[in-house]
Amino acid sequence: MYPSMSTPGSSASPKQLLDLPRVKEETPSTPTEHYSPNNLKYYNEHLSESQFNLILINCALRLLKLSYPKEQDFEEHKLRFFIVELVRRSKTTTQSLQICCYYLYKLINKNSHPVKLCPKKLFLGMLILASKFNQDHNYSFKTWLKICGCKQDDDSSSLNLKKLRESEAHCLSLLSYDLYINGKKYENWCNVLLIFGYEFISLHQVTLGVMTWCTKDENASKLCRWKKFLERMDDRSLNETKVHFKQYYANQIGTKVVTTPLPEVSLLFGKRSLAAESATNKRVCI
């Protein structure tokens, strides 16, 4: 039995987070059986759609960071904007984004071939492959270029039709042309992915619908631990073991997850009203 990561500063490893003991009692966050992993209600009832999408976007961003050496020049705010806009304009499904993140994990896990693409082109290439695998009908290269705001014959641009095809081919090569992921592996991966994303939240106030994200230093420490874990995690184990986000989440209730409002702290330097002052000075005779 492994301890859970109950506080942001805890030293629990990602493996310990995935091997949490099963909860004995059903909680309000327990998912119902008929939802699939691309539905936020599969995980619990405390996440809103915007929060769920934000966690997945952050997962993609952090997996991209782990795909490159530490010394890589990484403009996080620009890359985040690119990911959000690309997903929005292309109307990418949740399932395609989850599979795209799975391909990024495989890239980290293999760690054999250097990535010759910039982070934007790498994400675009992986997203195109995930969309093609996940959907029977998908956009053409020309449509993807329009989504990116690029022209197919513009040789001066950093992305045109030729470069987009080369990016997809390079991504296929990085994945050894293995894009397949079955139902059981997909379900387990989605649970691992959400645990990975939720680890970078320091406090989730459920009643207020507010999430507080970890600091930059905390993120760096967590990324280092997760990189080591993802590099060692056997891809085949996702077919053999069962990962439950609900177990991880239940162990965070009362620490990282707060289901009741936090107590208000009285102001030491606040001005008192005249009514409050008179009520304090009023003497009551019994």
Side-chain angles (χ1 to χ4, degrees):
M1 183 180 297
Y2 297 102
S4 64
M5 179 177 284
S6 56
T7 61
S10 174
S11 59
S13 68
K15 184 180 186 305
Q16 292 173 326
L17 298 175
L18 301 184
D19 292 342
L20 292 173
R22 295 186 64 89
V23 289
K24 294 182 179 180
E25 298 181 359
E26 296 293 306
T27 67
S29 61
T30 302
T32 51
E33 296 297 331
H34 60 276
Y35 289 113
S36 59
N38 62 344
N39 190 315
L40 65 92
K41 292 184 179 180
Y42 167 88
Y43 304 97
N44 62 51
E45 298 176 354
H46 294 166
L47 287 173
S48 66
E49 185 176 359
S50 60
Q51 290 172 339
F52 180 61
N53 292 336
L54 180 59
I55 291 174
L56 291 181
I57 292 293
N58 285 338
C59 284
L61 180 65
R62 293 188 173 99
L63 288 171
L64 279 170
K65 290 186 71 172
L66 295 180
S67 302
Y68 291 88
K70 288 184 178 180
E71 58 272 13
Q72 173 79 21
D73 185 17
F74 213 85
E75 296 180 302
E76 186 171 322
H77 63 288
K78 291 184 178 180
L79 184 57
R80 183 190 299 277
F81 177 78
F82 173 80
I83 293 173
V84 171
E85 280 298 298
L86 183 62
V87 169
R88 183 184 66 83
R89 294 182 188 183
S90 62
K91 299 180 180 179
T92 295
T93 64
T94 299
Q95 192 170 32
S96 293
L97 183 57
Q98 290 167 327
I99 294 175
C100 175
C101 289
Y102 171 70
Y103 293 160
L104 291 173
Y105 147 69
K106 290 186 68 174
L107 192 62
I108 298 167
N109 186 253
K110 286 178 176 291
N111 198 22
S112 55
H113 303 289
V115 180
K116 299 179 181 179
L117 301 173
C118 70
K120 290 182 180 180
K121 288 181 181 177
L122 177 63
F123 179 77
L124 175 60
M126 293 298 185
L127 187 63
I128 291 175
L129 293 178
S131 299
K132 285 183 176 180
F133 173 80
N134 189 41
Q135 299 170 349
D136 293 332
H137 302 284
N138 204 260
Y139 299 131
S140 64
F141 283 130
K142 293 181 181 179
T143 304
W144 279 109
L145 284 173
K146 288 182 180 179
I147 290 172
C148 295
C150 301
K151 297 180 180 179
Q152 57 178 323
D153 299 324
D154 187 1
D155 294 333
S156 62
S157 174
S158 59
L159 185 67
N160 53 34
L161 186 58
K162 180 182 178 181
K163 293 176 181 177
L164 183 58
R165 286 173 174 165
E166 290 174 349
S167 297
E168 186 196 53
H170 184 61
C171 288
L172 278 169
S173 176
L174 290 172
L175 296 172
S176 301
Y177 296 86
D178 182 13
L179 304 181
Y180 181 72
I181 178 172
N182 60 28
K184 185 176 181 181
K185 180 182 287 189
Y186 165 72
E187 183 175 2
N188 281 325
W189 164 249
C190 289
N191 280 272
V192 172
L193 183 65
L194 201 62
I195 292 174
F196 170 67
Y198 209 83
E199 265 301 283
F200 295 88
I201 297 171
S202 62
L203 182 65
H204 181 191
Q205 300 180 60
V206 175
T207 53
L208 298 178
V210 176
M211 286 182 172
T212 304
W213 298 89
C214 294
T215 63
K216 187 176 181 180
D217 291 339
E218 290 170 343
N219 284 343
S221 174
K222 291 175 185 290
L223 276 174
C224 183
R225 293 203 303 270
W226 273 95
K227 182 177 177 64
K228 293 178 181 178
F229 171 74
L230 293 174
E231 286 176 344
R232 294 194 302 263
M233 187 176 79
D234 190 350
D235 181 48
R236 294 171 296 181
S237 65
L238 292 173
N239 274 324
E240 301 166 358
T241 59
K242 185 66 177 176
V243 183
H244 297 277
F245 173 79
K246 65 178 180 180
Q247 295 174 20
Y248 163 82
Y249 187 86
N251 279 272
Q252 307 301 317
I253 294 178
T255 52
K256 176 184 290 190
V257 179
V258 180
T259 55
T260 56
L262 295 176
E264 293 185 3
V265 181
S266 59
L267 298 176
L268 296 179
F269 294 93
K271 293 183 178 180
R272 302 185 66 183
S273 65
L274 183 61
E277 192 72 33
S278 60
T280 304
N281 296 330
K282 187 176 181 180
R283 301 180 66 181
V284 179
C285 298
I286 301 177

